[in-house]
């Protein structure tokens, strides 16, 4: 094996150095490996640090005080320092992934070289420690510099072992802004149908990473390479659905990708919220191909597409095993993406009540991105409407206007004191009062609301 010390120093975090030193002092080999080496060479902060070692799991467990058997059957032990965990994995060779989920067998390997060989892409197959320097057997550093995602070894063989790597190739290209090597791309295209054997959870993780990446439009490349049809066939329908309509200049699919791309994470949005928005954009128009009609004038219409897209979104996210919170939030955003409340407080309060305040805030982002993916026709008007809507929303939030029944100045026990028995009528009364308060927040006082109840003769007495 060629150890190529590039004279390149990577600043390993203290914990990582400690783990590597403990292992090497005990006579084993140990390196930081994979994504953390790639990201360090790119000057990016790695999300986590993985360590590969010649030590067997039981030796790792012996050498560290706190360990967790996270994936012991695959040779992985998590070493805990304070609240942080580091995955330490024994050099290994993976067998075939016939369930598309786990390798059928894992054999511990004798050398770092064998361990690096089982990894997916050259840029992910480098190891580093401070004594040896960078170990780069497959030209990962050159590929990093050239911006290329290239399979380690023969691409077809690697995708045959584990088809998820097909999605990972596009995911890394999208995250890093890299090109995919020709042979790797051809193999991905040829073996795409094997993705059907890969578990929904693994596909979901890669699809989500792609969706939030700087280049979500690579989903379009996956379509053209015949890959999307094996995990998101609805996207193929969208890519093939023309929109002869003045508001549009792309097919539904291209519009989706443009909208996603146009939406970069603004300050003030959490990672999770950004994910909701990018996913909602991916799904928001998938129903269009199912409700397209063409008028006598040749103009295409998509009546009711938001509702159809919502139903499809739920089905797709269930199929891909998204969590319930994501399904709920994203499908609400899909349902409301075309809402156009008047930019006046009472209308905005009602819309906030209907959607939920948090959804409303995200909805503003979704609609903006949607507009950015449309033709220029009336773009300025559309954007200034949305800005106005945003201003009114901010104002409503700032004023603290009540939006939900819980914020009413009156509650169930007040009504009971007035002689209303708990039950459906009470719910109806509260809803009526909320309607009044949404229209005019100044009437949200106990006295005024009690008067309303009497005035409208809402009690049972
Ligand atoms: P991220 O920044 O998304 O975590 P990563 O490169 O760390 O990127 P992981 O999925 O965490 O990706 O995997 C860690 C390493 O394990 C990879 O860098 C790669 O070397 C290897 N690896 C992960 N999944 C596979 C796979 N399906 N086939 C081959 N090697 C893989
Ligand atoms: Mg990782």
């Amino acid at each position: 094996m060629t150890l190529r010390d590039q004279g390149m120093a990577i600043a390993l975090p203290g914990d990582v150095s400690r783990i590597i030193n403990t292992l090497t002092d005990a006579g084993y080999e140990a390196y930081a490996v994979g994504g953390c080496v790639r990201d360090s060479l790119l000057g990016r902060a790695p999300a986590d640090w993985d360590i590969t070692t010649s030590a067997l799991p039981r030796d790792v467990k012996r050498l560290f005080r706190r360990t967790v058997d996270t994936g012991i059957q695959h040779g992985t032990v998590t070493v805990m320092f304070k609240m942080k965990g580091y995955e330490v994995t024994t050099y290994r060779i993976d067998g075939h992934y016939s369930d598309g989920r786990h390798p059928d067998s894992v054999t511990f390997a004798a050398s770092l070289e064998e361990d690096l060989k089982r990894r997916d892409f050259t840029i992910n197959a480098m190891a580093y420690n401070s004594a040896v320097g960078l170990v780069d057997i497959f030209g990962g550093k050159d590929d990093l510099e050239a911006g290329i995602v290239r399979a380690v070894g023969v691409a077809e063989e690697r995708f045959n072992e584990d088809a998820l790597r097909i999605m990972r190739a596009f995911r890394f290209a999208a995250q890093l802004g890299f090109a995919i090597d020709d042979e790797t791309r051809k193999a991905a295209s040829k073996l795409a149908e094997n993705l059907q054997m890969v578990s929904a959870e693994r596909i979901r993780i890669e699809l989500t990473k792609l969706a939030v990446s700087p280049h979500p439009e690579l989903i379009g490349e996956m379509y053209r390479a015949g890959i999307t049809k094996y995990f998101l066939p609805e996207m193929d329908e969208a890519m093939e659905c023309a929109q002869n309509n003045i508001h549009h200049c792309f097919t539904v699919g291209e519009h989706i990708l443009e909208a996603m791309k146009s939406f970069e994470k603004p300050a003030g949005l959490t990672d999770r919220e950004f994910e909701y928005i990018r996913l909602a954009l991916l799904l928001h128009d998938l129903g269009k191909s199912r409700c397209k009609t063409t008028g006598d004038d040749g103009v295409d219409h998509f009546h009711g597409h938001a509702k159809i897209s919502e139903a499809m979104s739920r089905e797709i996210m269930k199929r891909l095993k998204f969590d319930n919170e994501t399904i709920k939030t994203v499908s609400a955003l899909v349902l409301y993406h075309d809402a156009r409340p008047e930019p006046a407080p009472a209308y905005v309060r009602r819309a906030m009540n209907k959607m939920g305040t948090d959804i409303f805030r995200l909805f503003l982002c979704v609609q903006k991105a949607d507009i950015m993916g449309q033709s220029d026709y009336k773009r300025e008007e559309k954007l200034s409407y949305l800005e106005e809507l945003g201003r009114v929303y901010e104002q409503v939030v700032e004023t603290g206007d009540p939006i939900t029944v819980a914020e009413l100045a009156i509650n169930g026990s007040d009504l009971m004191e007035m002689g209303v028995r708990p039950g459906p009528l009470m719910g109806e009364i509260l809803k009526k009062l909320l309607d009044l308060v949404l229209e005019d927040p100044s009437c949200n006082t106990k006295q005024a609301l009690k008067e309303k109840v009497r005035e409208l003769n809402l009690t049972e007495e």
Side-chain angles (χ1 to χ4, degrees), residues 23-292:
L23 286 160
T24 50
D25 288 350
Y28 303 105
E29 296 173 11
Y31 297 85
V33 71
C36 61
V37 176
R38 176 198 68 223
D39 290 344
S40 298
L41 292 178
L42 286 171
R44 298 170 176 228
D48 43 38
W49 291 81
D50 296 327
I51 289 142
T52 186
T53 180
S54 60
L56 292 170
R58 63 163 183 274
D59 302 321
V60 176
K61 289 176 67 168
R62 189 166 47 77
L63 287 168
F64 297 95
R65 208 141 53 105
R66 282 173 59 218
T67 62
V68 184
D69 290 0
T70 32
I72 200 120
Q73 69 281 31
H74 302 115
T76 303
V77 169
T78 299
V79 172
M80 301 296 302
F81 283 141
K82 300 206 183 78
M83 287 306 287
K84 250 179 109 62
Y86 300 87
E87 292 198 348
V88 178
T89 305
T90 306
Y91 292 164
R92 65 177 216 217
I93 303 167
D94 294 344
H96 189 77
Y97 290 57
S98 59
D99 68 348
R101 194 183 306 240
H102 306 296
D104 297 340
S105 60
V106 169
T107 320
F108 294 130
S111 70
L112 175 62
E113 177 166 10
E114 280 179 291
D115 182 85
L116 295 177
K117 242 194 211 161
R118 71 163 170 100
R119 293 174 184 271
D120 46 9
F121 305 108
T122 61
I123 56 172
N124 289 345
M126 290 180 278
Y128 177 89
N129 71 24
S130 51
V132 179
L134 186 73
V135 182
D136 175 17
I137 305 166
F138 307 105
K141 190 165 162 283
D142 288 346
D143 283 340
L144 261 191
E145 267 157 20
I148 294 174
V149 177
R150 184 198 313 272
V152 170
V154 182
E156 275 197 31
E157 286 175 15
R158 308 319 309 285
F159 292 156
N160 254 325
E161 287 163 358
D162 178 13
L164 187 74
R165 292 170 188 158
I166 294 169
M167 286 198 75
R168 287 173 61 88
F170 286 85
R171 187 262 278 193
F172 286 114
Q175 283 180 326
L176 302 170
F178 280 18
I180 298 174
D181 157 71
D182 262 357
E183 195 200 317
T184 301
R185 178 189 296 266
K186 277 190 199 127
S189 194
K190 183 171 168 190
L191 298 172
E193 68 175 310
N194 292 357
L195 272 172
Q196 292 170 113
M197 296 183 308
V198 175
S199 73
E201 291 87 344
R202 296 180 80 210
I203 289 182
R204 181 198 68 229
I205 292 168
E206 294 302 324
L207 178 62
T208 306
K209 288 187 175 180
L210 240 166
V212 299
S213 75
H215 296 283
E217 72 276 12
L218 283 205
I219 295 171
E221 283 199 32
M222 295 180 86
Y223 159 73
R224 286 182 282 277
I227 298 169
T228 46
K229 62 171 176 260
Y230 297 111
F231 65 92
L232 193 60
E234 297 86 350
M235 189 66 189
D236 289 53
E237 283 176 45
M239 294 299 294
E240 287 149 25
C241 183
Q243 307 189 86
N244 181 23
N245 183 302
I246 193 159
H247 293 283
H248 285 282
C249 53
F250 297 117
T251 64
V252 173
E254 291 293 345
H255 157 70
I256 285 173
L257 299 174
E258 283 295 319
M260 290 177 83
K261 200 169 64 174
S262 80
F263 188 71
E264 286 172 30
K265 187 169 168 266
L269 220 56
T270 64
D271 288 350
R272 191 105 164 104
E273 289 169 335
F274 179 63
E275 189 177 302
Y276 290 151
I277 291 169
R278 280 284 186 90
L279 288 172
L281 289 168
L282 173 63
L283 302 168
H284 80 286
D285 270 353
L286 291 180
K288 277 188 166 177
S289 58
R290 311 237 173 132
C291 62
K292 176 171 166 174

